[in-house]
Amino acid sequence: TQLLEQSPQFLSIQEGENLTVYCNSSSVFSSLQWYRQEPGEGPVLLVTVVTGGEVKKLKRLTFQFGDARKDSSLHITAAQPGDTGLYLCAGADYGGSQGNLIFGKGTKLSVKP
Amino acid sequence: GAGVSQTPSNKVTEKGKYVELRCDPISGHTALYWYRQSLGQGPEFLIYFQGTGAADDSGLPNDRFFAVRPEGSVSTLKIQRTERGDSAVYLCASSLSGGDAETQYFGPGTRLLVL
């Protein structure tokens, strides 16, 4: 069974701080996605990484896919209260059913003004 | 354009009852997915439709759960003889054609509470 472990589970920081959250697995994924979910809403896709070692930047967010395609990280620079939410990573099963995303449990981020 | 919509937004039922949850995907999306999210967990895959057919139903927990998509658009997730452990948020997502790096667009979910 493929599992994605996210850490930390909870993170509470002050506005302006930097942070990194991690997504790790013992399995290889063909692609990995990061989502943000707010209370009462469905997850919203932030980025998809496909190539081992790939780095993508989205404004203050930097996403990295590990060389072996087993892990990923999300770094947020100068966090703002609007970044508060649940950050989920999800992997597409390498060689498995198309569309079958395997999600981690998420990192719940709270950014205080 | 309109996103994925799900109805009802909340459903409270009694143990043993039957429930139906509806998902309206984005128009033109051939792929539709159902996930279940329990409190404090990430979404858990249930079933994936490509058009009218279930391409992968390996995530359905048991035979009390069933889903249909008869015309390749709207889908209904059906749960028979509900149990308290079925309480969760049921999320629906759709994507254009179902590729594994494709964006899945999620609806807001149906919150099911089984008393």
Side-chain angles (χ1 to χ4, degrees), chain B residues 32-85:
Chain B
L32 184 145
Y33 316 82
W34 284 99
Y35 294 86
R36 177 170 70 175
Q37 188 172 23
S38 300
L39 195 63
Q41 305 291 319
E44 176 190 18
F45 170 77
L46 296 177
I47 187 169
Y48 156 53
F49 285 92
Q50 184 57 256
T52 60
D56 183 353
D57 64 357
S58 63
L60 295 177
N62 52 59
D63 61 6
R64 295 188 297 105
F65 288 75
F66 188 71
V68 295
R69 193 186 186 200
E71 298 179 357
S73 178
V74 170
S75 176
T76 304
L77 178 65
K78 308 180 181 192
I79 310 174
Q80 299 177 321
R81 304 183 303 280
T82 53
E83 300 177 356
R84 292 195 181 90

Side-chain angles (χ1 to χ4, degrees), chain A residues 23-71:
Chain A
C23 174
N24 295 296
S25 175
S26 58
S27 303
V28 175
F29 289 94
S30 58
S31 65
L32 199 138
Q33 300 179 333
W34 284 92
Y35 290 81
R36 186 163 78 105
Q37 185 177 24
E38 298 190 37
E41 302 291 330
V44 176
L45 181 69
L46 296 173
V47 77
T48 299
V49 285
V50 178
T51 306
E54 183 176 3
V55 177
K56 280 193 175 179
K57 291 191 175 183
L58 185 66
K59 297 184 180 177
R60 293 177 295 102
L61 278 60
T62 302
F63 304 85
Q64 186 162 8
F65 200 13
D67 291 341
R69 295 159 78 172
K70 293 182 179 180
D71 53 85

Side-chain angles (χ1 to χ4, degrees), chain A:
Chain A
T1 302
Q2 291 180 299
L3 291 174
L4 279 168
E5 296 195 4
Q6 293 191 241
S7 61
Q9 189 175 355
F10 300 97
L11 188 56
S12 181
I13 61 171
Q14 294 295 130
E15 182 177 2
E17 292 184 9
N18 301 333
L19 66 116
T20 302
V21 298
Y22 300 92
C23 174
N24 295 296
S25 175
S26 58
S27 303
V28 175
F29 289 94
S30 58
S31 65
L32 199 138
Q33 300 179 333
W34 284 92
Y35 290 81
R36 186 163 78 105
Q37 185 177 24
E38 298 190 37
E41 302 291 330
V44 176
L45 181 69
L46 296 173
V47 77
T48 299
V49 285
V50 178
T51 306
E54 183 176 3
V55 177
K56 280 193 175 179
K57 291 191 175 183
L58 185 66
K59 297 184 180 177
R60 293 177 295 102
L61 278 60
T62 302
F63 304 85
Q64 186 162 8
F65 200 13
D67 291 341
R69 295 159 78 172
K70 293 182 179 180
D71 53 85
S72 181
S73 63
L74 159 60
H75 181 80
I76 301 179
T77 304
Q80 298 177 0
D83 296 328
T84 293
L86 179 68
Y87 288 82
L88 294 159
C89 66
D93 186 4
Y94 192 78
S97 167
Q98 287 185 338
N100 182 353
L101 286 177
I102 298 164
F103 280 86
K105 292 185 179 182
T107 292
K108 193 167 185 180
L109 173 64
S110 173
V111 182
K112 299 180 180 178

